[in-house]
Amino acid sequence: QVQLVESGGGLVQAGGSLTLSCAASGTILTMNDMSWYRQAPGKQRELVAFISLFSTSAGTTKYAESVKGRFTISTGNTKNTVNLQMNGLQPEDTAVYYCYARGWRPVEGRANYQTNFDSWGQGTQVTVSS
């Protein structure tokens, strides 16, 4: 199984910055892409940022309109890690932030077989005070 662990959340004043990190563990053959989602109280989970890690599209990023120009998603120094640099934070950015990853992993007990996976992290709280 592939597990994701997020870190870096916390409390910050409006206008401040935070960096979230997500590290994937487990046997991963190919990591296709990693994303950050967030969910505020009473709201649906929404995509914040996406980065492709696979082949010729590696490095392609997408952002929610509300965070463009303020947030930056990037790969970490370690394989299968991703960071989210958040600048100019506003109270409306307050939410639980989740890491999400998709890719391919080996099938247990079946040599040379692989299956796709998608995994969620446990979430990290980001609170922005006004």
Side-chain angles (χ1 to χ4, degrees):
Q1 298 296 329
V2 177
Q3 294 185 330
L4 304 179
V5 177
E6 303 110 330
S7 61
L11 173 65
V12 65
Q13 289 187 332
S17 299
L18 282 175
T19 300
L20 305 182
S21 296
C22 174
S25 62
T27 304
I28 300 169
L29 296 176
T30 304
M31 184 71 85
N32 286 354
D33 51 68
M34 298 183 77
S35 305
W36 287 96
Y37 284 73
R38 67 185 180 187
Q39 187 166 21
K43 295 187 176 181
Q44 289 189 332
R45 191 172 297 189
E46 63 173 353
L47 176 66
V48 175
F50 162 96
I51 186 167
S52 174
L53 302 175
F54 180 69
S55 189
T56 56
S57 66
T60 300
T61 58
K62 297 179 182 178
Y63 296 94
E65 285 297 324
S66 60
V67 307
K68 279 184 180 178
R70 299 188 298 125
F71 290 12
T72 302
I73 189 170
S74 63
T75 54
N77 293 327
T78 306
K79 190 177 182 181
N80 297 328
T81 64
V82 66
N83 299 319
L84 184 68
Q85 175 67 43
M86 305 185 293
N87 297 327
L89 285 162
Q90 299 300 319
E92 52 265 34
D93 294 315
T94 295
V96 177
Y97 284 70
Y98 297 91
C99 182
Y100 177 64
R102 298 185 300 181
W104 293 85
R105 63 175 178 81
V107 175
E108 293 82 358
R110 300 193 71 181
N112 301 319
Y113 280 79
Q114 58 183 309
T115 186
N116 59 330
F117 73 86
D118 68 299
S119 297
W120 289 93
Q122 81 286 354
T124 185
Q125 177 71 46
V126 172
T127 303
V128 185
S129 63
S130 57

